[in-house]
Amino acid sequence: MQIKSEQDLRGMRRIGEICGLTLKLMLDRAEAGMSTRDLDDIGRDFLKSVGATSAPISAYRFPGFTCISLNDEAAHGVPRKDRLIHEGDLLNVDVSAVLEDYWGDTGATIIVPPARPALDRLCRVTRRALYMSIEMARPGQRANAIGKAVERYARKNGYRTLRQLGGHGVGRHIHEKPSIPNFYNRRNRDVLKDGMVVTLEPFFNTGRGRIKTEDDGWTLRTVDGSVSAQYEHTVIINGDEPILVTKVDNGYV
């Protein structure tokens, strides 16, 4: 999507704030002993209270209002009553929603206390990579240059990126052009333009960086049992000052 009016800007700020607040509420209330379906219900109720609709349900008929992934589940985890959250788990929540034809997307990873130092470092480095990519998100920047920098930073810190997952355009649908990979793809010649709305979302992995789709047809799990972290903002390219529409006070990303 390209921002073309004040109405577009207001619409994206509003849905971005809703996504950010939903994510914060869910992560604030996440605790050991609850199921991922219980956590998803919190997101469902908040989205309904503000008149927003779940993007994965609207776009793909996903069996949950949000995506909730634990440990070796890298992304797109299906909320389930029998999937319990335990102490020490690595928990990722990805929230995307639509309101008045504007779509937003955000996500973050936390450690359910107590935190292990290795997981804490994975989260800190991945979140730092997000803000590094945001600093690069300027008009005229090549998408593959961002991917190159993110991958280099991951390897410098002993991690791999998940090549099958990355950033994308957003705004009029949940997934639009351009693609913003988390690695250097020489074939990707997309260039960021002023007013463009995109998500930036590095995925850092402690293992081989490979994933597979589970039998449920949705959940993406690492092939080697390794863990991953993801942080994501919806960003409006805006000269030298990108607008983070999904950033909220005291948020996790």
Side-chain angles (χ1 to χ4, degrees), residues 8-20:
D8 285 346
L9 182 58
R10 287 194 302 269
M12 285 309 306
R13 284 189 182 275
R14 178 59 179 146
I15 191 58
E17 180 184 45
I18 288 171
C19 290

Side-chain angles (χ1 to χ4, degrees), residues 43-113:
R44 175 201 64 191
D45 291 346
F46 183 78
L47 289 175
K48 287 186 174 181
S49 74
V50 295
T53 304
S54 162
I57 290 178
S58 297
Y60 303 116
R61 297 185 180 179
F62 180 74
F65 286 79
T66 65
C67 299
I68 303 175
S69 308
L70 291 173
N71 301 320
D72 62 338
E73 297 170 348
H76 303 168
V78 175
R80 303 197 324 251
K81 268 293 184 185
D82 62 349
R83 185 69 162 122
L84 298 182
I85 299 171
H86 297 99
E87 292 182 351
D89 277 352
L90 194 66
L91 168 66
N92 175 266
V93 175
D94 194 305
V95 175
S96 52
V98 56
L99 178 69
E100 297 175 353
D101 295 327
Y102 294 100
W103 301 62
D105 195 0
T106 188
T109 305
I110 66 168
I111 307 160
V112 181

Side-chain angles (χ1 to χ4, degrees), residues 121-141:
R121 179 177 183 272
L122 171 66
C123 291
R124 284 189 289 104
V125 171
T126 310
R127 187 175 185 274
R128 201 175 301 138
L130 169 62
Y131 279 89
M132 180 183 71
S133 65
I134 290 169
E135 283 296 313
M136 297 179 67
R138 302 291 188 271
Q141 181 67 270

Side-chain angles (χ1 to χ4, degrees), residues 146-160:
I146 294 176
K148 183 176 184 179
V150 168
E151 183 174 43
R152 180 181 296 169
Y153 188 68
R155 290 184 176 274
K156 176 183 176 181
N157 284 279
Y159 305 120
R160 292 182 182 271

Side-chain angles (χ1 to χ4, degrees), residues 231-245:
Y231 291 84
E232 174 185 18
H233 269 310
T234 294
V235 179
I236 299 174
I237 307 304
N238 182 54
D240 290 333
E241 297 184 9
I243 301 171
L244 311 185
V245 297

